[in-house]
Amino acid sequence: MPPRQRLSPADRRAQLLAVGARLFAAHPYAEVLMEEVAEQAGVSRALLYRHFPSKHALFAAVYQQAADQLLAETRLDPADPLVEQLIQGMEVHLDYFVANRNAVLAANRVLAGDPVIQTIMTNELDALRARLLAVLPLADASAREAVSGVLKSWLVFVQVLCVDWLTHETCTRTQLRDVCIGAVLGALRPLLTEDPAPGWPPPADGSKISTGRHTKSAG
């Protein structure tokens, strides 16, 4: 066990979350033991349980922290090209999914139906939907309601597709990203006052779309 450090309660909680996040990313949920979390953090099990009374509580806190970070890193601005922002948001989430495959599968498979974990995921999807609604050209309240329903379904579609992809990679990461982006653009076009992405889909020769700004190409 590493030598124990004196930390404030907030710093200790942050340390335990970091250790928990690392272990949940590296191992399937069933293989993560609270004893190992305590050992790697250099604390007693009693101290760990004072902060997190169960493995479930620790995982929920880790997943909430991840959801908050993903929202913070997903930028949406009506002044910027929509496709560029969709690409950026998808890349941020795919980066996390790939790096934390075991944690994502735990939340969506092992703990599927768990009310605490499902609330965390639902809240993140609702926040993303609200941000997308704020940057789309909507004619009126009726259009907003229709678009909101499409976005809600699309976000669930992306979640399911990405989890399936983590289990069995049937396409490349770039193809997965572009399928998700193409799906929402195709669904939204009939409902909007103007085409939200006139340069999409990309040309068949694979050349980049011109959005007026540099777009990161991800593989």
Side-chain angles (χ1 to χ4, degrees):
M1 177 183 294
R4 182 170 174 178
Q5 298 175 306
R6 289 187 176 275
L7 298 174
S8 69
D11 288 341
R12 180 64 71 191
R13 176 182 171 83
Q15 180 213 20
L16 294 172
L17 283 172
V19 172
R22 185 170 67 248
L23 290 174
F24 285 124
H27 305 286
Y29 182 81
E31 296 179 11
V32 177
L33 303 177
M34 291 293 272
E35 291 82 354
E36 186 177 2
V37 176
E39 181 179 356
Q40 291 203 16
V43 302
S44 67
R45 282 182 290 177
L47 178 57
L48 171 60
Y49 281 110
R50 280 205 293 273
H51 285 272
F52 302 102
S54 66
K55 182 169 73 169
H56 175 273
L58 175 60
F59 182 84
V62 165
Y63 215 71
Q64 180 66 69
Q65 184 180 66
D68 293 342
Q69 186 63 35
L70 287 170
L71 284 173
E73 293 178 5
T74 302
R75 62 172 181 79
L76 288 167
D77 188 327
D80 293 334
L82 178 63
V83 167
E84 182 177 318
Q85 296 179 85
L86 289 172
I87 289 174
Q88 187 270 342
M90 285 296 305
E91 291 294 346
V92 165
H93 281 75
L94 287 171
D95 282 345
Y96 176 78
F97 294 162
V98 171
N100 298 272
R101 177 179 177 276
N102 284 310
V104 174
L105 292 178
N108 289 274
R109 296 282 172 83
V110 180
L111 298 173
D114 179 272
V116 175
I117 303 303
Q118 291 304 311
T119 296
I120 293 170
M121 290 193 288
T122 298
N123 288 343
E124 187 201 355
L125 296 184
D126 285 346
L128 289 170
R129 178 171 45 143
R131 292 184 185 187
L132 283 165
L133 281 170
V135 303
L136 291 171
L138 303 174
D140 50 35
S142 177
R144 180 182 178 85
E145 184 176 358
V147 169
S148 179
V150 166
L151 291 176
K152 182 176 183 179
S153 298
W154 174 71
L155 287 164
V156 173
F157 163 78
V158 170
Q159 181 182 19
V160 172
L161 189 61
C162 288
V163 170
D164 286 346
W165 180 78
L166 287 175
T167 305
H168 183 54
E169 295 184 21
T170 54
C171 61
T172 68
R173 170 172 162 162
T174 299
Q175 288 171 330
L176 173 69
R177 183 200 70 192
D178 290 353
V179 164
C180 292
I181 293 172
V184 72
L185 294 177
L188 288 176
R189 279 183 169 126
L191 301 173
L192 301 178
T193 56
E194 60 187 70
D195 191 335
W200 190 273
D205 62 5
S207 58
K208 292 182 180 179
I209 305 169
S210 174
T211 61
R213 308 181 69 155
H214 173 69
T215 299
K216 178 182 176 183
S217 178

